[in-house]
Amino acid sequence: HEEIDIGYESVIGAYRVLHHLPMYYNDVNHGDTYGPLTYLAYVPFELVFPWKNSLSDLHAADAASIFFDLATVGGLVLLGRRLRAGAEGKRLGLLLGWAWAACPWTIIALVVHTNDGLIAMLTVFTLLLIRSPLLSGGMLGLATAAKFSPAGLLPLLAAPRERGAKRALLCVGAFTLIVVTAIFSWLPPQGLGYFWHRTIGFQMSRPDPFSPW
């Protein structure tokens, strides 16, 4: 296996949290580009497999990626059973889990131990909780507080026509509360502008080698 920069920077972020260091700092590798929840999610794995200031000792990244991937598969199995009753639901769940595990893109993310499995896991959990506007909105908020792109699912999740105005507001409110609390709890001393510069602002200005453009 080989951990690429996404994996080891996530571990370094967890290391900094545990050692009471700023989560966002002037890092030349710009490893602090994610939301605070990404680094917090790696803390349990960093506690079990402490980072020893070496890029060859990243068992925390390996364990985190495996855990997120297995939790996603398990969540998809449960989701299939939620969507269909009886044996048909079990078959659908197993098919969803198998499709995730067999997909080349998810295998690549697992092999190089990125943090993408965290977002997949939280998104699947959001779908499992979709009947509750509070819980599903809060779970999507956690995904957004880890990486920011899941926020694009909020209009679909809130869906006023489906939920009604009151339940849609509950969903949006829970989402907003989680995201705002996460960001401001770990805001760097330099303030919101610096946080933007290190995270979303950087991502919006960087070239993307995988973009069709």
Side-chain angles (χ1 to χ4, degrees):
H1 60 82
E2 178 184 357
E3 302 87 355
I4 62 172
D5 56 345
I6 298 172
Y8 66 71
E9 292 291 358
S10 299
V11 171
I12 291 171
Y15 172 89
R16 293 183 65 84
V17 169
L18 288 172
H19 289 80
H20 308 289
L21 298 170
M23 189 180 287
Y24 298 97
Y25 62 108
N26 189 21
D27 170 23
V28 294
N29 296 319
H30 217 118
D32 56 350
T33 186
Y34 305 112
L37 195 83
T38 289
Y39 309 110
L40 296 174
Y42 274 74
V43 165
F45 304 98
E46 169 61 17
L47 286 170
V48 177
F49 303 105
W51 180 57
K52 296 180 174 61
N53 204 24
S54 169
L55 298 184
S56 61
D57 187 18
L58 287 165
H59 300 306
D62 307 341
S65 186
I66 292 169
F67 177 85
F68 298 148
D69 205 66
L70 289 176
T72 302
V73 171
L76 286 168
V77 172
L78 292 175
L79 183 62
R81 301 186 69 173
R82 179 71 58 84
L83 293 171
R84 297 285 188 274
E88 186 180 352
K90 183 182 291 186
R91 285 194 297 269
L92 177 59
L94 291 172
L95 177 61
L96 290 173
W98 178 86
W100 172 268
C103 178
W105 301 116
T106 62
I107 292 172
I108 290 173
L110 179 61
V111 168
V112 297
H113 299 103
T114 69
N115 55 27
D116 299 289
L118 172 63
I119 306 307
M121 179 188 75
L122 293 173
T123 304
V124 170
F125 289 174
T126 298
L127 293 176
L128 282 171
L129 297 170
I130 199 167
R131 292 178 181 174
S132 167
L134 269 177
L135 295 179
S136 59
M139 188 62 68
L140 187 66
L142 290 176
T144 302
K147 286 189 174 182
F148 305 104
S149 57
L153 296 174
L154 183 59
L156 181 63
L157 188 68
R161 289 186 179 180
E162 298 293 330
R163 290 196 184 274
K166 182 178 179 180
R167 290 169 63 83
L169 285 174
L170 282 174
C171 181
V172 173
F175 170 88
T176 304
L177 178 63
I178 293 293
V179 173
V180 170
T181 300
I183 291 175
F184 279 89
S185 295
W186 297 94
L187 201 64
Q190 299 91 332
L192 193 58
Y194 186 77
F195 170 81
W196 175 273
H197 170 71
R198 297 301 300 177
T199 57
I200 301 174
F202 169 72
Q203 293 287 12
M204 291 178 67
S205 62
R206 69 186 301 194
D208 182 2
F210 302 109
S211 171
W213 309 115

